[in-house]
Amino acid sequence: SSLLASQDFVVEDGQTVDARISSENLNRIYLQDDRIASIKALEGQFQYQHDAKLGELYLKPNTGYKDKSINLY
C-alpha cells in the first residue's frame, strides 16, 4: 500500500496540472493565497464538497473512476 502526501505545484493561470489523488480517501485541493470559487467537471466522476468560505475542495473518485483521469475546471 502506498501513501501519497502533499503535492505542491506552482502554476500560471490557464496552465494544466497533473496530480495523483487517492482513490479510497478524501482528497483536499486548495490554492495558496487564493480560493476555488467554482468547480466544473463531468457529472458522476466523483463525490465532492466545496467549502466556499475557505475556497477548498474535498473530493473522492466514484467507483467507476478510481483508475481513470478526472478533469476539473
Side-chain angles (χ1 to χ4, degrees), residues 5-21:
S6 175
Q7 300 173 66
D8 298 325
F9 302 96
V10 176
V11 296
E12 298 294 326
D13 189 26
Q15 185 178 356
T16 299
V17 175
D18 293 319
R20 297 188 59 92
I21 63 170

Side-chain angles (χ1 to χ4, degrees), residues 26-46:
L26 202 57
N27 298 276
R28 175 179 169 238
I29 300 173
Y30 73 98
L31 306 173
Q32 185 174 345
D33 300 325
D34 207 347
R35 295 173 188 246
I36 297 171
S38 64
I39 301 103
K40 293 182 174 88
L42 293 177
E43 188 173 327
Q45 288 185 321
F46 54 88

